[in-house]
Structures are given as structure tokens and as C-alpha cells.
């Protein structure tokens, strides 16, 4: 079966099906299903150009998607791309769809003149790590990934000091 990779925006005919798949992706990671909030969030992110998205379509069915961000690469005076999400419906896995989505982003980043394409995944996600290393991605050494959670705390509200 032929798989077509298409860029997705809020007005694209496959947007609603892609948003539904995005909700399934969130559920896959243990979050509660929230179709309308997911659709609204995805629409806003695309409309504000915070992310770009592409969907894998077979026989008018969305089988997977990928999202990416474009960031300034200030030292290089260029851009760097980051794959944020890559998901394939469980019924379509191991059929080349993830590879096609990944290649779509690699090609798009190269065509746009990006200096780097990065991604992150869990250390125990062996299928994803295998896909990414086969495509040429390598672990970054000498850097640490640090996060600061910005969840609001009651004691923070109204404190201006």
C-alpha cells in the first residue's frame, strides 16, 4: 500500500484525523484522552508556527504523524530543527511509516538549510533508537539535559518579590 507524507495545517482535510491520532499518542503515554483540547492545542501550535506537522496517509487514513520545531542556532547564525513527536498507529507499525516520516523531516530540514536536526527519546525505546541510529542520529556527549518544572505553586501566586 502506498504511503503519502503530507504537511498538515489547521485547514488541511486530514487535520482532524491527525489531531485524533495526536490524542491517541498522548493516551499511549498515559495521559487521559481529551480530543477537543488536543485538537485546539495542535491547531494553535500550527497556526502560531511553533511546530510543523506531517501525516502519513494510506487509503485516506492517517497512520502516523511527526512534529518538528525550528529554532535559531545563534552561534552558527542559522537554524536547528528538532523532532518533537513521531508516532505511528500500532496497527501500522513495522511497515516503514516511521522511517518515511523521519526521512520527510530530514529532507525538509536539509532543504531549508538547517545545520542540525535533533530529537530525544526514552533510553528504553529500542525500536525508536534503532530507527534513529540507522538514519544517522548519534548520541550527544558532553551535554546534560536539564529541566525546570514551571508548574504554578500556590505560594507563588501574587508574590512579586
Amino acid at each position: 500500500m502506498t504511503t503519502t507524507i503530507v504537511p498538515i495545517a489547521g485547514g488541511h482535510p486530514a487535520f482532524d484525523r491527525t489531531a485524533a491520532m495526536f490524542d491517541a499518542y498522548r493516551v499511549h503515554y498515559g495521559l487521559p484522552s481529551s480530543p477537543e483540547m488536543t485538537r485546539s492545542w495542535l491547531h494553535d501550535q500550527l497556526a502560531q508556527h511553533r511546530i510543523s506537522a506531517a501525516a502519513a496517509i494510506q487509503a485516506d487514513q492517517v497512520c502516523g504523524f511527526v512534529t518538528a520545531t525550528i529554532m535559531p542556532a545563534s552561534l552558527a547564525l542559522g537554524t536547528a530543527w528538532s523532532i518533537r513527536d513521531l508516532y505511528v498507529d500500532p496497527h501500522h507499525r513495522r511497515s516503514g511509516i516511521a522511517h518515511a516520516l523521519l526521512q520527510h523531516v530530514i529532507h525538509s530540514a536539509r532543504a531549508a538549510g538547517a545545520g542540525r536536526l535533533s530529537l530525544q527519546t526514552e533510553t528504553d525505546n529500542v525500536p525508536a533508537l534503532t530507527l534513529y541510529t540507522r538514519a544517522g542520529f548519534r548520541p550527544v556527549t558532553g551535554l546534560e539535559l536539564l529541566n525546570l518544572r514551571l508548574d504554578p505553586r500556590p505560594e507563588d501566586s501574587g508574590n512579586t518579590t
Side-chain angles (χ1 to χ4, degrees):
M1 187 170 293
T2 303
T3 301
T4 305
I5 309 298
V6 297
I8 297 295
H12 192 281
F15 173 78
D16 286 336
R17 289 173 284 147
T18 304
M21 170 117 358
F22 201 95
D23 190 60
Y25 163 71
R26 294 181 70 252
V27 169
H28 172 81
Y29 279 100
L31 297 167
S33 178
S34 183
E36 284 308 311
M37 285 181 60
T38 300
R39 183 188 184 288
S40 177
W41 180 88
L42 184 59
H43 186 275
D44 290 348
Q45 297 304 306
L46 291 168
Q48 295 173 27
H49 303 287
R50 290 185 178 148
I51 63 171
S52 62
I57 299 176
Q58 286 183 351
D60 205 34
Q61 179 181 10
V62 174
C63 303
F65 68 88
V66 63
T67 68
T69 61
I70 302 171
M71 302 162 292
S74 55
L75 296 178
L77 301 177
T79 60
W81 285 39
S82 177
I83 295 173
R84 301 303 307 151
D85 311 285
L86 194 156
Y87 181 76
V88 176
D89 180 88
H91 297 98
H92 292 92
R93 291 185 182 158
R94 306 202 59 76
S95 66
I97 291 172
H99 175 77
L101 288 163
L102 184 61
Q103 291 302 313
H104 172 81
V105 177
I106 291 170
H107 173 77
S108 297
R110 277 194 180 120
R116 179 178 73 242
L117 175 59
S118 60
L119 55 83
Q120 65 186 49
T121 193
E122 290 78 16
T123 56
D124 63 350
N125 191 343
V126 175
L129 289 167
T130 301
L131 171 71
Y132 301 144
T133 56
R134 284 185 180 159
F137 288 85
R138 299 292 175 256
V140 176
T141 58
L143 298 176
E144 292 291 329
L145 176 62
L146 306 171
N147 284 317
L148 173 64
R149 296 216 37 107
L150 299 174
D151 296 335
R153 290 178 270 155
E155 65 269 17
D156 289 344
S157 63
N159 185 357
T160 59
T161 58

